[in-house]
Amino acid sequence: MSSMSLADANDGGSTCFDNPDWIEWTHAADAAILEWLNKKVLLRHKVSNIARDFANGYNFGELLMHMGFPIEMESLTNLRIPAAAAHNFRIVFPRLQQLDIVVNERLLTRITRQQPGAATYVLFQLMHLRTNLEMDSDQQSVEPEELNVDENVNNNDMSTDADTGHKPD
């Protein structure tokens, strides 16, 4: 995107979503997100249209569960009616905010109205959160020999002048 940043979508205003750069970004991001959802995440149902398939909030809940973030899935409904979407997002919205996903009520309204790019914006953030969590997990599982740590170093040998009572010259 040349004349705007991804963060410009935060307010959910029409200026962002009608911007040609945003529309171009959305098409590219949709392709990457569809591949991620359908080849790596594997939700219960194949996602073919992001705006439609995430409009009622149910798939956001399923994705959050898949990512390891508890959500009351038994309370969500996969009906495509406004009342179901409102109910689902009352459950999903606070969890998204807890995860520092940039989302507000205007953006949720755009998602429920299937505005192109609205659900994509939230999914893009979730995809990056998942990637960052996987990278953190990979770093934590590194074996000591991969860190080039000299296991022969004795921590007791790490004394300072203060420890030995020597005064600096």
Side-chain angles (χ1 to χ4, degrees):
M1 295 184 343
S2 57
S3 64
M4 58 179 287
S5 71
L6 186 59
D8 292 335
N10 180 29
D11 72 351
S14 62
T15 306
C16 169
F17 287 97
D18 296 334
N19 183 305
D21 289 336
W22 177 257
I23 294 167
E24 181 181 329
W25 177 86
T26 298
H27 291 303
D30 277 354
I33 291 168
L34 283 170
E35 183 173 337
W36 175 65
L37 290 170
N38 291 321
K39 292 186 178 177
K40 291 186 179 180
V41 175
L42 302 173
L43 298 176
R44 234 179 302 179
H45 303 285
K46 182 178 180 183
V47 177
S48 58
N49 180 309
I50 289 175
R52 181 194 65 224
D53 294 342
F54 282 85
N56 71 358
Y58 182 87
N59 282 335
F60 280 113
E62 189 175 338
L63 177 58
L64 289 168
M65 281 295 295
H66 181 80
M67 292 174 66
F69 303 113
I71 196 110
E72 302 169 20
M73 284 304 294
E74 63 278 354
S75 299
L76 300 179
T77 180
N78 201 11
L79 298 174
R80 295 182 192 272
I81 58 173
H87 171 77
N88 291 345
F89 278 115
R90 273 193 294 276
I91 296 167
V92 171
F93 181 65
R95 175 58 76 190
L96 292 171
Q97 289 183 313
Q98 288 173 346
L99 297 172
D100 293 327
I101 301 301
V102 179
V103 62
N104 60 32
E105 291 190 23
R106 285 181 71 183
L107 186 57
L108 292 181
T109 299
R110 291 185 167 281
I111 291 170
T112 61
R113 292 180 180 165
Q114 300 183 28
Q115 172 79 42
T120 303
Y121 176 65
V122 175
L123 289 167
F124 185 80
Q125 293 176 78
L126 286 168
M127 186 173 72
H128 277 277
L129 174 64
R130 173 70 180 258
T131 302
N132 290 340
L133 291 173
E134 287 173 350
M135 287 174 33
D136 287 348
S137 175
D138 289 345
Q139 288 176 356
Q140 290 175 1
S141 64
V142 174
E143 297 297 323
E145 60 268 13
E146 294 178 49
L147 295 174
N148 295 323
V149 174
D150 185 357
E151 294 177 1
N152 296 321
V153 174
N154 184 343
N155 288 335
N156 294 331
D157 292 339
M158 301 288 198
S159 58
T160 63
D161 286 337
D163 295 331
T164 60
H166 290 92
K167 293 183 182 178
D169 295 329

